[in-house]
Amino acid sequence: MVDKIVSLEDAVAVIADSDTICVSGFVGIGTPEALLRGLAERYDKQAEPKDISLLFAAAPGDGKDRGLNRLSAPGLVKRAIGGHWSLVPKLGQLAVANKIAAYNLPLGCISQLYRDIAAGKPGMFSKVGLNTFVDPRQIGGAINESSTEKLVELMELDGEEWLFYRSIPIDVAFIRGTTADKAGNITMEREALTLDMLSIAQAAKNSGGLVIAQVERICAEGSMNPREVVVPGNLVDCVVVADASEHLQTYDTPYNHSFTGRLRGVVDELTPMPFSDRKIIARRAAMELPINGVVNLGIGMPEGVGAVANEEEILDHITLTTEAGVMGGVPQSGLDFGAAINANAITQTNQMFDFYDGGGLDLAVLGMAEVDRHGNVNVSRFKDRFAGAGGFINISQNARKLVFVGTFTARGLRVDCKDRELSITAEGQMPKFIDQVEQITFNGKYAAQMGQQVLYVTERCVFRMTVDGLELSEVAPGIDIERDILAHMAFRPIVNNPKTMDPEIFDERRMKLKNTLINVRMEDRLTYDASTNTVFINLAGTAINTREDLDEHYTVMHKFFGALGKKVNIISNFDGRTIAPKLRAAYADFQAELEKQYFLDAARYTTSAFLRQKMGQDLKARALSPNIFETAAEAAAFIKGQSKG
């Protein structure tokens, strides 16, 4: 058996001028720090290799000197293609200064492209990036004038627009794992994420390239459990054992068992988020959390939503995810971002983006740096500062509901809360709601055309996306619309009797959000819209476990619909609704009774395919049309169509 364990110097010596190097890593998780240092030192001493290209998905860096920031020496890098750039500012400065060719493509698309490179395909089709700066009709993801190669093409298939991301052959792959044997088999038991190590290795090997792995330890031959091997030895050319200082679990945490799932961490003792404008925003966004739904929280301000959900004891009722591959648990922030305490599952990054792109997210909460009159959002490019889109485009274009969060102005904003009212004590110097964003990372018009629900949450107000533009839908108590909102916007939004934001948001005490989202009285779950003659029934997270539950439901429904005095349309939200098997037949009989007595047309929706099937069977057995949909938009469209008919 070949011994693939080599020194760092020997490993990086195989890299040639103009090689394309694919580098793993999500912030500091899975980042091969020793390999990057070794490459940088070789260039510093020998002035080679020159003119390399870099390919990366989620910026492997700490925002200062580590990770890809090590590779910023003039002449070392000729081209860089990445998803997230804000944590590799030294590389980003070369891009902004037009000193290297550079591209920003959606993180998820790069992650998925690894698989297609491995499969020998010419590229990958995706709708992600349409009508954003990645679209060739804008700038095709190019960062500067030197970036003239067309990496993304617009194509039409069956009358629909698609983007085609071209494959990029890989000469060298830098990957990382925990343990290796002499044959090069790699496990990742102490890593916080799996990332795309297997796909990257396959892509390099099938491109005719080399795979160099960094690990923290070597094990005896034959001692590995084959189910724990993430990258098999036949894909690995050589292995470097790193010092512990260059193999931290994250840039902030040397090692935490709860990041790997090997032990459960204590989350009820986490320090609550301090009361501030950021917490006010996080609280309002948390009010949109879907019970039993799947949620993504972006980096930065959106991370506060997870902290609020934990403090308000509702984490058990939602599933938080990170694009890095974590499903469930408590996602972490800062330089721990990407990891989670007590995750339910840790998948490959490309698999998580498959789920996201297919519509698996019920809600995404993302940051916003600039917003314009069309609802376009820019988080990627600001004059001489370049952050990159990361997973933002994949997530924002495909989540069923989207909440952007950020302060209303920036640089110097200070607020105060008293008697559950908000006051602005110092206005920010930089407006965020401007006439036109510098770069379109999210296209508001496109989202409106697709029927996506979009909110823009700030500390003083909330906007809602409509087909006609942004509408001011909520205003904080104590805020004057003209003085505190419209005077600091470059455009006038639609203003049509906005309601007052919940005063509980502006009280330092806990909001008791659990009562708002879960412990809601049945009477408060029914809303009648006279303009459309439609009743909206929110049954999300409710349960029929006993005969008493069913009797209460029966009484409330008959009282409500009887008081209306006429037949109405209904749209019912069944997300997270549970019904005891022994009561299924009685519940279906009750639904049939209500429909025959009170309903014109009925539409129900739930993301649970199992519940849709079971309810459908029960209703069909009672000679009723099920009309059960996956989303609220589909249910509403059905009712609207029936009304027109």
Side-chain angles (χ1 to χ4, degrees):
M1 181 178 292
V2 177
D3 187 345
K4 297 183 178 179
I5 315 303
V6 302
S7 69
L8 175 61
E9 292 74 18
D10 287 344
V12 298
V14 302
I15 300 170
D17 292 350
S18 302
D19 272 354
T20 295
I21 305 176
C22 182
V23 181
S24 69
F26 193 100
V27 191
I29 302 171
T31 298
E33 195 69 29
L35 300 183
L36 294 171
R37 175 181 60 80
L39 177 58
E41 289 182 351
R42 180 189 166 202
Y43 183 76
D44 183 55
K45 294 174 182 177
Q46 304 173 14
E48 60 181 19
K50 299 188 230 12
D51 298 332
I52 64 172
S53 290
L54 295 175
L55 176 62
F56 57 95
D62 65 349
K64 296 179 181 178
D65 301 311
R66 290 181 286 186
L68 290 180
N69 294 295
R70 295 179 180 275
L71 307 184
S72 58
L76 173 55
V77 176
K78 182 178 182 179
R79 181 183 72 163
I81 303 163
H84 191 54
W85 286 73
S86 67
L87 293 171
V88 290
K90 290 188 175 181
L91 199 63
Q93 288 167 9
L94 296 178
V96 171
N98 203 32
K99 293 182 178 179
I100 62 173
Y103 299 83
N104 181 204
L105 305 182
L107 190 162
C109 294
I110 295 177
S111 177
Q112 294 162 329
L113 187 61
Y114 293 150
R115 296 182 311 198
D116 288 318
I117 298 171
K121 297 178 182 178
M124 179 198 69
F125 284 99
S126 177
K127 287 185 177 293
V128 172
L130 283 170
N131 301 298
T132 72
F133 74 90
V134 179
D135 194 314
R137 290 169 293 191
Q138 295 189 27
I139 59 174
I143 295 172
N144 56 36
E145 296 173 0
S146 300
S147 310
T148 57
E149 187 179 354
K150 305 300 181 186
L151 299 183
V152 186
E153 295 182 37
L154 179 69
M155 294 189 178
E156 186 175 296
L157 294 175
D158 295 330
E160 294 186 9
E161 291 182 341
W162 292 80
L163 294 183
F164 183 68
Y165 292 84
R166 290 200 165 278
S167 285
I168 302 164
I170 298 171
D171 299 305
V172 181
F174 278 3
I175 65 171
R176 180 178 125 167
T178 298
T179 309
D181 60 14
K182 290 184 178 181
N185 295 299
I186 308 293
T187 62
M188 300 185 68
E189 66 273 14
R190 285 171 57 87
E191 307 297 319
L193 297 167
T194 307
L195 299 177
D196 291 313
M197 300 302 175
L198 177 59
S199 296
I200 292 172
Q202 291 174 329
K205 292 303 291 183
N206 288 349
S207 296
L210 301 171
V211 177
I212 303 174
Q214 171 183 318
V215 299
E216 64 175 278
R217 60 192 182 189
I218 303 298
C219 70
E221 235 178 273
S223 62
M224 285 184 167
N225 180 340
R227 289 185 178 273
E228 293 185 355
V229 174
V230 176
V231 183
N234 65 295
L235 298 177
V236 178
D237 292 285
C238 57
V239 176
V240 173
V241 181
D243 183 80
S245 64
E246 294 184 314
H247 204 98
L248 305 176
Q249 196 177 38
T250 78
Y251 281 135
D252 249 5
T253 304
Y255 183 72
N256 185 334
H257 273 301
S258 65
F259 287 178
T260 68
R262 299 175 84 82
L263 289 176
R264 303 288 288 180
V266 178
V267 296
D268 56 0
E269 295 179 1
L270 296 179
T271 303
M273 188 177 182
F275 190 72
S276 64
D277 52 1
R278 296 174 70 91
K279 188 166 188 176
I280 289 169
I281 294 167
R283 282 178 157 187
R284 175 58 188 86
M287 294 174 70
E288 301 297 323
L289 289 169
I291 299 306
N292 293 329
V294 180
V295 178
N296 172 275
L297 302 178
I299 193 169
M301 193 168 287
E303 298 165 359
V305 178
V308 169
N310 183 62
E311 181 183 351
E312 298 288 340
E313 299 178 350
I314 58 173
L315 273 183
D316 289 344
H317 300 279
I318 55 176
T319 299
L320 297 180
T321 67
T322 72
E323 61 266 37
V326 167
M327 184 75 75
V330 184
Q332 299 300 285
S333 61
L335 293 179
D336 283 339
F337 184 69
I341 296 173
N342 304 342
N344 297 329
I346 300 175
T347 68
Q348 293 186 39
T349 303
N350 58 72
Q351 295 169 332
M352 185 60 81
F353 276 109
D354 289 343
F355 178 66
Y356 285 179
D357 290 356
L361 280 173
D362 297 296
L363 173 71
V365 183
L366 302 172
M368 58 180 182
E370 292 179 342
V371 182
D372 66 21
R373 64 176 66 249
H374 303 296
N376 299 324
V377 176
N378 174 26
V379 298
S380 48
R381 182 71 182 263
F382 314 95
K383 295 183 174 63
D384 295 332
R385 185 167 65 86
F386 177 59
F392 186 98
I393 301 177
N394 296 82
I395 296 164
S396 65
Q397 285 192 332
N398 295 299
R400 290 191 176 96
K401 188 171 187 177
L402 186 58
V403 177
F404 290 113
V405 294
T407 55
F408 188 75
T409 59
R411 292 186 184 173
L413 173 67
R414 294 199 305 274
V415 302
D416 187 38
C417 291
K418 185 177 181 181
D419 298 328
R420 304 205 298 181
E421 289 191 349
L422 180 72
S423 61
I424 311 300
T425 57
E427 190 59 80
Q429 299 173 19
M430 179 183 290
K432 286 190 174 183
F433 290 83
I434 61 177
D435 186 62
Q436 184 176 345
V437 295
E438 182 175 347
Q439 188 171 81
I440 298 177
T441 329
F442 171 80
N443 191 303
K445 282 188 175 180
Y446 183 54
Q449 291 168 6
M450 301 300 290
Q452 193 174 24
Q453 298 180 68
V454 185
L455 296 178
Y456 304 75
V457 175
T458 76
E459 79 289 344
R460 71 187 73 178
C461 61
V462 178
F463 297 95
R464 180 175 65 90
M465 167 55 65
T466 74
V467 292
D468 298 317
L470 287 190
E471 178 183 356
L472 180 63
S473 58
E474 298 177 35
V475 176
I479 291 297
D480 181 86
I481 293 177
E482 290 291 339
R483 180 194 66 214
D484 298 323
I485 298 175
L486 301 183
H488 305 284
M489 300 180 69
F491 61 92
R492 186 176 180 88
I494 300 167
V495 182
N496 186 17
N497 297 319
K499 67 179 184 179
T500 302
M501 294 173 70
D502 189 339
E504 294 284 342
I505 297 171
F506 305 93
D507 191 322
E508 289 196 36
R509 293 170 294 185
R510 282 176 57 178
M511 292 176 61
K512 300 180 181 177
L513 191 58
K514 198 169 186 177
N515 291 337
T516 305
L517 296 182
I518 301 170
N519 302 328
V520 184
R521 296 189 317 153
M522 187 58 66
E523 293 90 336
D524 297 328
R525 292 179 177 271
L526 295 95
T527 306
Y528 176 59
D529 181 1
S531 65
T532 59
N533 194 34
T534 302
V535 172
F536 297 89
I537 308 175
N538 178 20
L539 300 175
T542 60
I544 300 291
N545 293 323
T546 66
R547 187 72 206 190
E548 288 74 20
D549 292 338
L550 184 58
D551 290 343
E552 180 193 2
H553 193 74
Y554 183 95
T555 301
V556 171
M557 292 292 182
H558 273 292
K559 182 179 179 180
F560 181 87
F561 287 107
L564 291 176
K566 59 180 178 180
K567 287 195 171 185
V568 296
N569 301 308
I570 70 144
I571 298 176
S572 299
N573 178 3
F574 277 82
D575 268 342
R577 173 76 151 168
T578 57
I579 304 161
K582 64 182 179 181
L583 295 172
R584 258 186 56 202
Y587 183 71
D589 288 339
F590 170 55
Q591 283 189 300
E593 179 184 331
L594 284 177
E595 186 151 347
K596 290 173 181 176
Q597 189 170 349
Y598 300 117
F599 302 165
L600 293 171
D601 289 299
R604 304 165 179 89
Y605 66 94
T606 173
T607 54
S608 169
F610 179 79
L611 187 55
R612 289 198 300 272
Q613 182 185 46
K614 289 299 181 185
M615 284 177 59
Q617 291 173 348
D618 290 340
L619 292 172
K620 284 179 181 178
R622 288 155 181 82
L624 296 173
S625 298
N627 305 329
I628 306 175
F629 303 93
E630 186 176 4
T631 68
E634 291 170 335
F638 170 79
I639 291 296
K640 186 176 180 180
Q642 293 297 101
S643 298
K644 287 182 179 179

